[in-house]
Amino acid sequence: MEIDPADLKLVDKMGVELDRRDKPRKELRKYASGDHPVPAHVTHAELETEYRVLMEQAITNWPELIVKAVSQRLAVSSFYFAEQDLGREAWGHWQRNRMDQRSRQIHDAALIDGRAFVIVWNDENGKPTAYIDDSSTTVVMYDASGNRVAALRRWKEGERWYATLYKPGEIVKLIGPEKSATCPKGEEWEARTVEGEEWPLTSKLPIVPVVEYALNGSIAAGEFGSAAGEFERELPIVDRINTTIFSGLLAQTYSAFPVRALIGDKIKYEQKKDADGEPVTDDDGKPVMEPVAPVKLAVNRLIQIENKDGKLVQLPEAQLDNYIKFAETHIRHLAAITQTPAHYLLGEMVNLSADAIRAAEAGLISKTKGHQIDLGESHEEVARLFLLVDDPEREIPDDIETRWKDAESRSLAERADAAVKLAAINMPWQLIGEMVLGLSEQEIARAQANVGADALGKLIATGGTEAEPVTPA
């Protein structure tokens, strides 16, 4: 089967972008998993083994905490269309694809290295199905208006490379040569056929069925967009914190105790002995000498020095407070720049009022709501694809909106008080339930059913006379 040369050029171009992203992506993934690099001054040190042990102990996984602080506040509650049946249908596809749980994986991936992807296609039963992916295998290309032009998923299984090119109305599946050490280029790709499936695969979808979740991008994005991980620009601060704690561990290990020294007395030597207790000699047969401790201290021993000029001195231990304060300074810088509450990183939370906590978390909440806008747009596009894959002929309105659970920390008493006050100004109780109490679509539907049951019960109890209307709080 002949492959369109334009498709091969497109695959190569998008493959170059995938390769370009690979190194920074791996670095960010390592940081997020706690596998931080060892500084050069440690790897070049004479005591490298001991230093490496201390360096591993010095690492604290700040990046993971920065990501989780935001990720734990990102939870989709429903989709809204003016036509309510569409919203319920989209939410049904969302639930069937277990996206409540999988969306957290999407959010985490996007927060770590800036990007995550969802491919929507039909399964063997024709049902819309979401396949999530990260930036290691998938890339999307855009036009000047920000519309998706094409997407590429490229991966390796065993010793063979595979690729799938997604275009509006068409999907091109490719395979590389057997036992290929490097990724194929140009005409090295071959058509990959699937039994019972045409090649290239015709799609009824007018758009590319791959959605990118990109965070912290810039306006000068280019044809592949731009994105950055939540802590990507703060890696130098993370390294400084690790190095400072490492220096403190060094001081604790080697100088955090008083050092006693005998000054002015002659140094004594004795012949070195091997593990078997035999004297050690050099190649010329001469004894190998080593210094001997001048005194052996113990609680029941008395020190006696023959040399009148000799004296026993004690050097004070190193003070570790400076290392602790210096590390805390860097941690506060990290908290300020990433808008992570300082008490999350330092654990300093003593007698704080609710208002003080809310003020400390204001930056985090603001950042989280900003991410909700970016991620919400992508979730809405996935919801549209669910509906389109289910029925490619239908017209999907543009008024879809992703609704999120409240990102702020509020007590049940605060929510109840707000609900009562909003009900007093005649706000619809369904909106109060969603916006204030955080009820899901299913919980609101169950509440409506209960309201109907209560009204019917009152009607029966009064023998068919008019019952008082039931107004939910």
Side-chain angles (χ1 to χ4, degrees), residues 326-339:
F326 199 34
E328 287 181 350
T329 299
H330 292 317
I331 293 170
R332 293 184 191 280
H333 289 170
L334 182 65
I337 294 175
T338 61
Q339 292 182 290

Side-chain angles (χ1 to χ4, degrees), residues 449-461:
N450 291 337
V451 167
D454 288 345
L456 179 62
K458 278 200 171 186
L459 188 64
I460 294 172

Side-chain angles (χ1 to χ4, degrees), residues 106-166:
I106 294 169
H107 299 159
D108 283 350
L111 289 165
I112 289 171
D113 56 39
R115 302 176 192 271
F117 300 86
V118 171
I119 303 170
V120 181
W121 199 244
N122 55 301
D123 61 13
E124 62 274 8
N125 299 317
K127 297 290 186 181
T129 303
Y131 304 88
I132 66 175
D133 217 336
D134 63 17
S135 57
S136 63
T137 58
T138 307
V139 60
V140 174
M141 180 183 287
Y142 301 89
D143 61 18
S145 300
N147 299 312
R148 300 190 300 279
V149 174
L152 174 70
R153 184 173 188 268
R154 189 192 69 184
W155 71 101
K156 190 177 184 181
E157 291 182 12
E159 298 182 356
R160 200 161 194 181
W161 287 88
Y162 297 79
T164 302
L165 178 65
Y166 299 89

Side-chain angles (χ1 to χ4, degrees), residues 364-374 406-408 410:
L364 174 64
I365 299 303
S366 177
K367 179 175 70 169
T368 302
K369 290 182 177 180
H371 288 337
Q372 286 178 347
I373 295 173
D374 294 332
D406 192 357
E408 297 189 49
R410 304 182 195 274

